[in-house]
Amino acid sequence: ANGAYYIISEYQNGYLYERQQASGYKQGGHKSFYAAHNAKCDEWAQKEYTMWNVAYDEAKQCYFIVSQARNGVLYESGGRTGYTSGKGNASMFACTHPLGKGWSSKKAYLEIAKSKTDGYFTIKSLWRNSYLYASGGSTGNTFYGATSFYTAGSPEATEWGKGKANWRFVKI
């Protein structure tokens, strides 16, 4: 349902958040920022980085997930994480950008569906049919004793187990 949410991964119980680290991509005078997850985000003073507006767009037949901090739209970037699966699919970083809704590439067009795990959902990018997942790749930052990890996308993420591609939406 449309509304404001915390989005929490089953893997490490990490809250999805918009990092303050720019990805290097810039368009229309706006920078793109990495998305990550951290289990201690609920203790942060700047909670707007962990809060997301989720809305279904009837005309485009997809969901958009938008950060409350910078109005950045969550999308699967073309930036490779360095991990390639045994099937040859490269994982791509998830990022945010305020112009994502208007891109013809559909990188920010998302499908949200119930996962096999009760109470969780998958977030699928319609750009290359990848599932956004909580990676184990550290951002190099630790907050309140918890390490932050990048969020990424891969077509195979739902096959890996550990709940990496499962997300719980908690209404704010």
Side-chain angles (χ1 to χ4, degrees), residues 39-60:
K40 297 283 187 166
C41 285
D42 59 332
E43 298 178 23
W44 294 2
Q46 295 178 305
K47 292 204 185 317
E48 65 272 16
Y49 287 94
T50 66
M51 300 163 78
W52 302 87
N53 294 321
V54 178
Y56 188 76
D57 187 308
E58 286 288 340
K60 295 183 179 179

Side-chain angles (χ1 to χ4, degrees), residues 79-159:
R80 294 173 179 254
T81 65
Y83 176 75
T84 302
S85 73
K87 294 182 181 177
N89 291 310
S91 287
M92 305 286 184
F93 288 107
C95 295
T96 63
H97 194 282
L99 301 179
K101 289 182 182 180
W103 293 341
S104 61
S105 66
K106 296 187 177 183
K107 286 182 177 184
Y109 290 32
L110 304 173
E111 177 183 283
I112 299 172
K114 287 185 178 183
S115 79
K116 294 176 185 173
T117 305
D118 191 39
Y120 287 89
F121 296 84
T122 58
I123 303 170
K124 183 178 179 181
S125 167
L126 300 182
W127 173 50
R128 60 181 199 129
N129 291 319
S130 292
Y131 294 91
L132 299 188
Y133 70 95
S135 82
S138 173
T139 65
N141 296 94
T142 301
F143 300 100
Y144 298 96
T147 301
S148 287
F149 299 92
Y150 286 105
T151 301
S154 172
E156 300 166 42
T158 57
E159 301 170 17

Side-chain angles (χ1 to χ4, degrees), residues 8-14 117 120 162-164 166-168:
I8 305 167
S9 170
E10 180 182 10
Y11 178 69
Q12 299 179 344
N13 209 33
T117 305
Y120 287 89
K162 297 184 182 180
K164 287 187 170 194
N166 291 337
W167 301 92
R168 183 167 39 104

